[in-house]
Structures are given as C-alpha cells and as structure tokens.
Amino acid sequence: MPTVSGALGRRHFLGLAGAATVAGAVGAVGAEVPAGAVRPLGDLFMLGVASGDPRPDGVVLWTRLAPEPVAPDGRGGMPDKRYAVRWEVAEDPSFRRVVRRAVEHAVPAWGHSVHAEVQGLRPDREYWYRFAVGNQLSPVGRTRTAPESYRRLNEFTFAFASCQAFHEGFFTAYQHLAQEDLDLVVHLGDYIYEGNSQGTIGRGHLPAAETFSLADYRVRYGQYKSDPHLQAAHAAAPWVVAPDDHDVENNWAGDISQLDDEPDQDPAVFRQRRAAAYQAYYENLPLRRTSMPSGPEMQVYRRLTFGNLLQLNVLDTRRFRTDQLECVRGCDDRFDPARTMLGAEQERWLLDGLGRSDARWNVLGNQVFAFEADHDAGASERFGMDTWDGYAAARQRLFDGVVERRVDNFVMITGDAHRSVAADLKLDFTDPSSRTVGTEFLGTSISSGGNGTDMDALGRTWLAENPHMRFHNSQRGYQRCVLTPAEFRTDYRVVAQVTVPDAPISTRASVTVEAGRAGVADVAG
C-alpha cells in the first residue's frame, strides 16, 4: 500500500480515483457505481466505523454501507451494485499526516461491508482513520496497533463487555466506555439477541420476530449498530470480538439447536441458520478475513499478544461443545471425560499456546464462566449445565494442563451471566484448601437483565456456598482491566440503571491479582 508523505487534504482524499485496490472483495457482482451516483442514497455511514484485531503492523478497519439500516429486506437501502470505498489512516485526528490509503470494494454478497486489513503501521501507536464514498465522508475512528511481543510494557489497559439486549436497556455503559483511555475492548458475546422481545422502554426488536434468515440478522444488526453509544465505543478503540449463543440462538451447542419446534431440530436446518448468523456477525464487526465464514463454519478462536505483558486467547465455547445435559442435580455425567467444551483441536491449541507463552499475563477470553457455582443453599447442590460446570471433566483437563505446563498468572475473563464475580479457580473445587490455579473475572452485561441490583438472592447464595468466590454484584456495566508487570486490576464499572438514558457510572469494586500469586489478592470497594 502506498505511503503518503506530507498532508493529504479532504478534497484530495475524496477525489482518489486511482488509489490501489486491496484484494479481498469477495463475491463482487455488477458494474462499479461511479462516485456521482451515490448522492441519492442518503448517508451511507449510518452504522459508523470500527477497528479490530490489532497487530504490531496494522489493524482491521470496518464500516458497512447502509443508508437504511433496518430496511426489511436486509440490504440496508443499498442497490445490488458494488461500491468503491476509499479509506485512509493518519497519525493525527485532523488527517494532516496520512500514512496509508487504499480502496476496498463493498459488495452486495457481504452486505456492503468493508474489512480493510491495514499493514505497514508502526507498533504501539495511536492512529485515526476514515472512509469515503463519492463525496461522503464517514465519521473518524481512533485505533491503536499492538506492541511487539518482545517489548517490555509498563501498563496496558483494556475493557471487556458482553450481553447487550437492545430491548432491555439503553447502552449507557458504552457512553461511558467511549470516554475511557483504552488500548483495547474485548467483547465476549451476545452482541445481539435473536428473539422477538419488545420490552417496555421503546426499544423493541426489529424485525418483530425471531431471527432466522440472513435478512433477519442483518436488520437486527442494523438496529443495534444504529445506537450512538455503541458506535462511539467502536470508534474509540480497537475491538476483539467473539460470538456466544444469542448471536445465533439461545444455548446452541455444536450442530444442535435448542428449539423444541421442528424442523429446527434438524441439524441441517440449524446449520443454515448458523450460516446466516455467522455471515451477519462477520459483516457487522471488525474481523480479519481469517474469520470470514464459509457457510456454517467460522474461525473464532485465535491468539493476540500485546508486548510482553498480555497473551489473549480468544475462545469458541459454542461450535465444538457436546450438547448440554438435561439434569441440574446429581449430574455425574458432567464428569464424563468424553464431554468437551472446546473440542480436541481447540483444546490442544490453547494448552500448547499457554505452554509456550512468554507473556506476564495469560488471559482467556471466555464466553461462559468456569468457576464452580453451586446454586442451592444448604447441603444440596445444583449447577447450571450450559457453563463449564456442565463440562467438569473438560474444565479439569484445562486446569491440569495449566499446572502441568507451569503457566503463571492465568486469568479468565468471561461474560454471559449478567452479573459480576471475581473468583479463585481451584484445582479441586470440592476442597477449599486445594491449589489455586488462576483467577476468573466474570463481567456483567451492558443492558441484558434490566437495571439489576447491587446484591440479589442468587448472589447471596453463591457467596455463601462457594468459598472461592470473592466478590459479587448484579448491576449493569463493563470491566476495565489495568495490567502492569506487578498486578492485574479489574475495575467493575457499573451504571445505576439502564431503563432510562444517561445514568452516571461508578466503580463498584477494584479487584487485584498479584503477579506470581494465583487468585484474588484484594477486593477494594
């Protein structure tokens, strides 16, 4: 890609007809639309901009052309033509020092989405980017490249979030997250919800039915991504994303649907639904081409490094898992070693990568919580079967592998549960005195579950019955993690309510792990 020295003005950028075309426009059909023909379509950048999966030499830049994001046919108001989309990256927000520019093609087959994989940037640097089609300019986004793996870092700050049911609350948490000074945002799933819920706050789902087709999922993403606070959070920092169940269907497992109605129980029918959901997910998020779906398959698990401070292993806990057990009490089958959460290949990939890691902090981006959670007060025990509790033998293999490979400073960050917990990860959860192998930070939802409370009945039971749990809260918000060579601190950032807009934010607790000492060291707040 060409490097530009000196200033490149707005007029010059808008007139770039001869910029290099980046290979990667898949499924392009029809003649390219000339620049002057885009004006009648309206604002093409209604869904904003985003960046993601940073490397030391570059990032993915994303946008999707959609002047009518919730048009019922799922086309976003776009004709069946491909469009040349110009992009540029600069070292300053005024674009006086542009360092990269090129052209991508937005094509109908992929929802007129753009995934520009920028290379040739400098490591650990802040950049600004924007797109243009014809005479239209996109909003400006800020991004940051990753530090080189050998670089010694003094600090790295990221946030993680999950579970943003549009109908249950305003995305106030993102309003505040966008104001944080972050190197990265990690999203751990349930970016959308697939159901037909309308809620009570005037944010009912579109379409007003459960999503099954590609058009359905595209409309749902068009609705979610029209939210200004979500757009601001994407524009503020690069994101790393992974889907969970609601991005396809509640509690799906492998090729198994959890719906009771036929023909949805037919694996072939469910794979068609997953193919539609995966394609819409890719179309609407800043993923690399290595994660471009092929029918019902998508490469989700991957590894990113940030200097010598952080190795982030992004997991896929849906595609390769065994089906959930039906029981909740007396479930000895959860200890069956044939049951898997990750599948054999991903499990090997994870443990091999952890064993070779030179990073100070070894972090798993994980969709469902791994700590044991007895839901019953008293002598009886009750466990959820969708979490790692339903896959106890697989969890034991993971923890045994961490110990055998002498993995230090092992941390899991998790979403899904709509509540926050900081917990010690025990080699044997039945023995409180057993070895602690790591720490898990379960993070609450952005909006799912409504307003929430500081403490609820389940939280009290969990703390009483599970001595490895050190903190609990069930308000909405996100988690800010500050990593140094000496400690890993998670600030649980919570909003007072989500059923009305503009609620203030506060830090409910700061939970610290000390390097070289597994488990929670301190809970402040």
Side-chain angles (χ1 to χ4, degrees):
M1 299 178 189
T3 299
V4 181
S5 59
L8 181 68
R10 177 180 185 276
R11 182 177 299 175
H12 189 182
F13 177 49
L14 292 173
L16 283 175
T21 298
V22 179
V26 178
V29 295
E32 184 173 320
V33 176
V38 303
R39 185 174 298 177
L41 289 176
D43 186 353
L44 296 174
F45 299 105
M46 294 288 287
L47 300 181
V49 300
S51 67
D53 276 19
R55 294 176 179 171
D57 69 338
V59 296
V60 180
L61 305 181
W62 172 92
T63 193
R64 179 181 162 216
L65 308 183
E68 301 173 28
V70 295
D73 62 4
R75 296 184 179 184
M78 295 293 292
D80 192 26
K81 302 287 185 180
R82 72 173 189 168
Y83 285 76
V85 182
R86 300 179 298 283
W87 58 262
E88 63 180 0
V89 176
E91 294 179 332
D92 66 300
S94 299
F95 291 84
R96 296 183 181 277
R97 299 189 303 278
V98 173
V99 294
R100 287 291 182 272
R101 69 174 187 264
V103 173
E104 290 276 349
H105 283 94
V107 300
W110 291 95
H112 290 99
S113 61
V114 175
H115 300 76
E117 296 192 17
V118 184
Q119 296 177 321
L121 302 181
R122 292 189 291 176
D124 198 21
R125 295 300 177 100
E126 190 175 38
Y127 291 96
W128 287 262
Y129 61 94
R130 63 186 178 185
F131 299 88
V133 177
N135 62 354
Q136 290 193 30
L137 274 178
S138 76
V140 172
R142 169 197 172 271
T143 193
R144 191 176 187 91
T145 53
E148 294 165 307
S149 60
Y150 57 82
R151 184 179 173 193
R152 300 182 65 177
L153 298 183
N154 294 322
E155 186 173 291
F156 187 86
T157 302
F158 71 92
F160 71 94
S162 64
C163 305
Q164 50 200 47
F166 193 86
H167 66 288
E168 289 191 317
F170 292 91
F171 291 171
T172 310
Y174 283 136
Q175 180 180 358
H176 297 288
L177 183 149
Q179 302 303 313
E180 302 268 14
D181 185 13
L182 300 172
D183 298 306
L184 187 73
V185 176
V186 180
H187 196 282
L188 296 171
D190 295 349
Y191 193 94
I192 63 161
Y193 279 69
E194 81 289 7
N196 61 0
S197 300
Q198 296 301 295
T200 61
I201 60 171
R203 286 166 65 91
H205 271 143
L206 294 175
E210 186 156 346
T211 54
F212 290 95
S213 68
L214 177 58
D216 293 340
Y217 283 104
R218 282 175 170 173
V219 172
R220 189 64 54 88
Y221 277 99
Q223 180 184 37
Y224 275 57
K225 294 189 73 69
S226 295
D227 186 278
H229 300 319
L230 178 56
Q231 289 189 16
H234 270 297
W239 284 41
V240 172
V241 300
D244 195 13
D245 56 336
H246 287 289
D247 300 296
V248 179
E249 174 200 284
N250 185 38
N251 286 351
W252 67 280
D255 284 334
I256 300 173
S257 167
Q258 300 304 310
L259 295 182
D260 295 328
D261 299 331
E262 295 290 348
D264 302 294
Q265 286 293 311
D266 182 347
V269 173
F270 176 67
R271 284 194 292 270
Q272 291 175 359
R273 183 183 190 182
R274 192 173 73 227
Y278 275 177
Q279 178 167 341
Y281 187 85
Y282 174 82
E283 288 175 351
N284 285 279
L285 287 164
L287 289 159
R288 292 186 178 273
R289 293 185 188 93
T290 51
S291 293
M292 177 182 283
S294 176
E297 306 302 333
M298 181 169 70
Q299 184 64 42
V300 172
Y301 67 86
R302 58 202 189 277
R303 181 174 295 119
L304 300 93
T305 58
F306 299 89
N308 70 336
L309 206 52
L310 170 62
Q311 182 192 85
L312 175 62
N313 301 276
V314 181
L315 302 186
D316 184 345
T317 61
R318 288 289 161 192
R319 174 64 189 92
F320 308 105
R321 67 157 69 192
T322 313
D323 195 16
Q324 296 94 337
L325 296 169
E326 296 294 331
C327 55
V328 293
R329 292 184 177 88
C331 298
D332 291 341
D333 284 348
R334 68 195 188 99
F335 297 101
D336 181 353
R339 292 181 55 74
T340 181
M341 176 67 84
L342 303 178
E345 182 178 339
Q346 183 179 188
E347 198 170 299
R348 284 193 299 271
W349 166 86
L350 175 60
L351 288 173
D352 288 348
L354 288 171
R356 294 194 301 267
S357 175
D358 293 322
R360 176 59 58 96
W361 298 100
N362 295 288
V363 178
L364 271 56
N366 170 56
Q367 287 78 37
V368 291
F369 61 77
F371 55 73
E372 187 171 87
D374 178 8
H375 289 56
D376 273 0
S380 64
E381 292 182 325
R382 178 168 57 94
F383 301 103
M385 292 297 104
D386 187 58
T387 69
W388 285 82
D389 275 338
Y391 304 79
R395 176 175 61 197
Q396 195 64 54
R397 285 197 302 273
L398 172 59
F399 290 179
D400 287 345
V402 167
V403 172
E404 290 165 3
R405 289 162 178 77
R406 299 180 180 179
V407 179
D408 291 329
N409 305 317
F410 175 66
V411 175
M412 299 181 78
I413 57 173
T414 305
D416 179 69
H418 309 172
R419 58 185 63 242
S420 297
V421 172
D424 296 339
L425 296 174
K426 308 296 287 186
L427 194 59
D428 180 0
F429 283 106
T430 66
D431 179 7
S433 65
S434 75
R435 178 173 179 169
T436 299
V437 301
T439 310
E440 183 167 17
F441 292 111
L442 172 63
T444 189
S445 60
I446 291 291
S447 58
S448 303
N451 290 329
T453 60
D454 184 67
M455 182 63 68
D456 59 10
L458 180 59
R460 286 188 285 270
T461 298
W462 273 14
L463 291 176
E465 298 298 321
N466 303 279
H468 48 279
M469 295 188 188
R470 304 290 302 279
F471 167 77
H472 176 276
N473 173 269
S474 61
Q475 293 170 284
R476 308 284 79 86
Y478 60 91
Q479 297 64 234
R480 180 181 61 202
C481 302
V482 182
L483 284 61
T484 70
E487 67 178 31
F488 187 126
R489 188 188 82 231
T490 296
D491 300 325
Y492 282 98
R493 304 278 282 161
V494 300
V495 291
Q497 51 189 337
V498 294
T499 53
V500 296
D502 300 324
I505 196 161
S506 62
T507 299
R508 174 59 184 82
S510 294
V511 183
T512 303
V513 177
E514 297 174 352
R517 177 188 168 193
V520 173
D522 182 67
V523 179

